[in-house]
Amino acid sequence: MHTKIKCLAYATLFLSASASLCAADLTKAYDMPDASKLIEKDLFPAAKAYTMPKSCNLTDPKAIARGEYMFHNLNGKKAKKPAPEGLAKFIEKKGKDGKVTKKSKQFGNCVACHDIEGAKGAGNIGPSLTGYKAMFLDTKARDTQFVYQKIADPRIDNANTHMTVNLTTGLFNEQEICDYTAYVVSEKKKK
Protein backbone atom coordinates (compact mmCIF):
# COMPACT_ATOMS: atom_id res chain seq x y z
CA MET A 1 0.00 0.00 0.00
CA HIS A 2 2.84 2.39 0.90
CA THR A 3 4.50 1.71 -2.43
CA LYS A 4 1.31 2.63 -4.35
CA ILE A 5 0.95 5.90 -2.42
CA LYS A 6 4.63 6.72 -2.95
CA CYS A 7 4.34 6.02 -6.68
CA LEU A 8 1.20 8.15 -6.91
CA ALA A 9 2.88 11.01 -5.02
CA TYR A 10 5.97 10.86 -7.27
CA ALA A 11 3.81 10.75 -10.39
CA THR A 12 1.82 13.77 -9.24
CA LEU A 13 4.99 15.67 -8.38
CA PHE A 14 6.53 14.79 -11.75
CA LEU A 15 3.44 15.87 -13.67
CA SER A 16 3.11 19.20 -11.87
CA ALA A 17 6.83 19.94 -12.26
CA SER A 18 6.80 19.12 -15.96
CA ALA A 19 3.62 21.15 -16.49
CA SER A 20 5.18 24.22 -14.90
CA LEU A 21 8.34 23.81 -17.01
CA CYS A 22 6.29 23.52 -20.20
CA ALA A 23 3.82 26.31 -19.39
CA ALA A 24 3.54 28.93 -22.10
CA ASP A 25 4.63 32.49 -21.34
CA LEU A 26 1.39 34.40 -21.82
CA THR A 27 2.68 37.78 -20.64
CA LYS A 28 3.11 38.85 -24.27
CA ALA A 29 -0.43 37.78 -25.18
CA TYR A 30 -2.14 40.73 -23.49
CA ASP A 31 -1.54 44.44 -22.99
CA MET A 32 0.34 45.41 -19.88
CA PRO A 33 -0.20 49.16 -19.52
CA ASP A 34 2.27 51.26 -17.61
CA ALA A 35 0.46 51.56 -14.26
CA SER A 36 2.40 54.67 -13.27
CA LYS A 37 0.75 56.59 -16.12
CA LEU A 38 -2.68 55.42 -14.96
CA ILE A 39 -1.95 56.44 -11.39
CA GLU A 40 -0.68 59.88 -12.47
CA LYS A 41 -3.98 60.50 -14.22
CA ASP A 42 -5.88 59.77 -10.98
CA LEU A 43 -3.77 61.96 -8.68
CA PHE A 44 -5.24 65.17 -7.32
CA PRO A 45 -3.65 68.43 -8.33
CA ALA A 46 -1.69 70.16 -5.57
CA ALA A 47 -3.59 71.93 -2.78
CA LYS A 48 -4.62 75.41 -3.82
CA ALA A 49 -5.47 78.54 -1.86
CA TYR A 50 -8.56 80.44 -2.99
CA THR A 51 -9.93 83.87 -2.28
CA MET A 52 -13.67 84.11 -1.92
CA PRO A 53 -15.02 86.07 -4.90
CA LYS A 54 -16.51 89.49 -4.20
CA SER A 55 -19.63 88.24 -5.99
CA CYS A 56 -20.39 85.80 -3.15
CA ASN A 57 -23.50 87.09 -1.45
CA LEU A 58 -23.57 85.16 1.81
CA THR A 59 -26.82 86.75 2.98
CA ASP A 60 -28.80 85.97 -0.20
CA PRO A 61 -31.70 83.67 0.81
CA LYS A 62 -31.51 81.92 -2.60
CA ALA A 63 -27.79 81.15 -2.15
CA ILE A 64 -28.44 79.86 1.37
CA ALA A 65 -31.30 77.67 0.06
CA ARG A 66 -29.07 76.22 -2.68
CA GLY A 67 -26.29 75.57 -0.16
CA GLU A 68 -28.69 73.87 2.22
CA TYR A 69 -30.09 71.69 -0.55
CA MET A 70 -26.64 70.57 -1.73
CA PHE A 71 -25.44 70.07 1.86
CA HIS A 72 -28.25 67.61 2.60
CA ASN A 73 -28.39 65.72 -0.73
CA LEU A 74 -26.01 63.40 -2.55
CA ASN A 75 -27.28 63.79 -6.09
CA GLY A 76 -30.21 65.09 -8.10
CA LYS A 77 -31.57 61.66 -8.93
CA LYS A 78 -32.16 60.80 -5.27
CA ALA A 79 -33.01 64.28 -3.98
CA LYS A 80 -36.52 64.22 -2.55
CA LYS A 81 -37.62 67.84 -2.87
CA PRO A 82 -37.52 70.10 -5.91
CA ALA A 83 -34.24 71.97 -6.34
CA PRO A 84 -34.29 75.62 -5.24
CA GLU A 85 -34.13 78.42 -7.79
CA GLY A 86 -30.80 78.55 -9.60
CA LEU A 87 -29.93 74.89 -9.01
CA ALA A 88 -30.63 72.01 -11.37
CA LYS A 89 -30.98 68.36 -10.36
CA PHE A 90 -29.61 67.21 -13.70
CA ILE A 91 -26.90 68.31 -16.10
CA GLU A 92 -27.48 68.02 -19.82
CA LYS A 93 -24.47 67.28 -21.99
CA LYS A 94 -24.35 67.17 -25.75
CA GLY A 95 -22.28 64.29 -27.09
CA LYS A 96 -20.16 64.23 -30.26
CA ASP A 97 -23.05 62.49 -31.99
CA GLY A 98 -25.32 65.44 -31.14
CA LYS A 99 -27.43 63.49 -28.67
CA VAL A 100 -28.20 65.17 -25.37
CA THR A 101 -27.75 63.04 -22.28
CA LYS A 102 -29.10 63.87 -18.85
CA LYS A 103 -26.85 63.10 -15.89
CA SER A 104 -27.65 63.53 -12.20
CA LYS A 105 -25.99 66.58 -10.67
CA GLN A 106 -23.56 65.60 -7.93
CA PHE A 107 -24.23 67.42 -4.68
CA GLY A 108 -22.10 67.51 -1.56
CA ASN A 109 -24.00 65.29 0.85
CA CYS A 110 -21.98 67.07 3.54
CA VAL A 111 -24.45 65.77 6.11
CA ALA A 112 -22.95 62.30 5.69
CA CYS A 113 -19.94 63.53 7.70
CA HIS A 114 -21.08 66.75 9.41
CA ASP A 115 -23.90 67.52 11.79
CA ILE A 116 -25.73 70.83 11.36
CA GLU A 117 -29.04 72.28 12.49
CA GLY A 118 -31.99 70.31 11.08
CA ALA A 119 -29.85 67.41 9.86
CA LYS A 120 -31.39 63.96 9.61
CA GLY A 121 -28.96 61.08 10.07
CA ALA A 122 -25.94 63.37 10.25
CA GLY A 123 -22.49 61.85 10.44
CA ASN A 124 -19.82 62.48 13.02
CA ILE A 125 -16.66 61.94 10.96
CA GLY A 126 -16.18 65.66 10.37
CA PRO A 127 -16.67 68.36 12.98
CA SER A 128 -20.19 69.40 13.90
CA LEU A 129 -21.23 72.62 12.19
CA THR A 130 -24.15 73.17 14.54
CA GLY A 131 -23.98 76.71 15.91
CA TYR A 132 -21.05 77.52 13.61
CA LYS A 133 -21.96 81.19 13.18
CA ALA A 134 -22.23 81.89 16.91
CA MET A 135 -19.18 79.82 17.83
CA PHE A 136 -16.74 80.97 15.19
CA LEU A 137 -17.93 83.97 13.18
CA ASP A 138 -19.58 86.02 15.92
CA THR A 139 -16.53 85.50 18.16
CA LYS A 140 -14.19 86.34 15.25
CA ALA A 141 -12.29 83.07 15.79
CA ARG A 142 -12.80 82.40 12.07
CA ASP A 143 -14.10 84.34 9.11
CA THR A 144 -16.10 83.54 5.99
CA GLN A 145 -12.90 83.31 3.93
CA PHE A 146 -11.80 80.40 6.15
CA VAL A 147 -15.10 78.59 5.49
CA TYR A 148 -14.90 79.23 1.74
CA GLN A 149 -11.33 77.88 1.61
CA LYS A 150 -12.20 74.86 3.76
CA ILE A 151 -14.99 73.90 1.35
CA ALA A 152 -13.01 74.74 -1.81
CA ASP A 153 -9.82 72.84 -0.91
CA PRO A 154 -9.49 71.69 2.71
CA ARG A 155 -5.94 70.39 2.15
CA ILE A 156 -4.52 73.90 2.41
CA ASP A 157 -4.32 73.56 6.21
CA ASN A 158 -4.68 69.79 6.59
CA ALA A 159 -2.87 67.67 4.01
CA ASN A 160 -4.33 64.46 5.48
CA THR A 161 -7.99 65.48 5.45
CA HIS A 162 -10.67 63.03 4.34
CA MET A 163 -12.94 65.83 3.17
CA THR A 164 -13.64 66.07 -0.55
CA VAL A 165 -11.53 68.48 -2.58
CA ASN A 166 -14.30 70.44 -4.28
CA LEU A 167 -13.07 73.42 -6.28
CA THR A 168 -9.55 72.27 -7.18
CA THR A 169 -10.91 69.05 -8.70
CA GLY A 170 -13.82 70.79 -10.43
CA LEU A 171 -16.44 68.84 -8.48
CA PHE A 172 -18.11 72.19 -7.78
CA ASN A 173 -17.76 75.67 -9.24
CA GLU A 174 -17.12 78.97 -7.43
CA GLN A 175 -20.82 79.82 -7.15
CA GLU A 176 -21.60 76.46 -5.58
CA ILE A 177 -18.77 76.93 -3.06
CA CYS A 178 -20.27 80.36 -2.30
CA ASP A 179 -23.68 78.73 -1.77
CA TYR A 180 -22.25 76.12 0.62
CA THR A 181 -20.42 78.87 2.50
CA ALA A 182 -23.60 80.96 2.69
CA TYR A 183 -25.48 78.04 4.22
CA VAL A 184 -22.81 77.08 6.77
CA VAL A 185 -22.38 80.66 8.04
CA SER A 186 -26.09 81.52 7.98
CA GLU A 187 -28.28 81.96 11.02
CA LYS A 188 -30.41 78.82 11.12
CA LYS A 189 -34.09 78.86 11.98
CA LYS A 190 -34.92 77.33 15.33
CA LYS A 191 -37.36 74.46 14.89
Side-chain angles (χ1 to χ4, degrees), residues 144-166:
T144 54
Q145 170 58 42
F146 176 87
V147 177
Y148 183 87
Q149 176 64 53
K150 199 59 146 166
I151 298 168
D153 192 336
R155 301 170 302 159
I156 207 71
D157 68 346
N158 180 359
N160 298 316
T161 185
H162 294 287
M163 188 167 155
T164 57
V165 179
N166 298 308

Side-chain angles (χ1 to χ4, degrees), residues 105-120:
K105 169 69 177 139
Q106 177 73 42
F107 299 130
N109 195 31
C110 310
V111 75
C113 297
H114 298 281
D115 191 16
I116 198 164
E117 293 89 339
K120 291 184 175 103

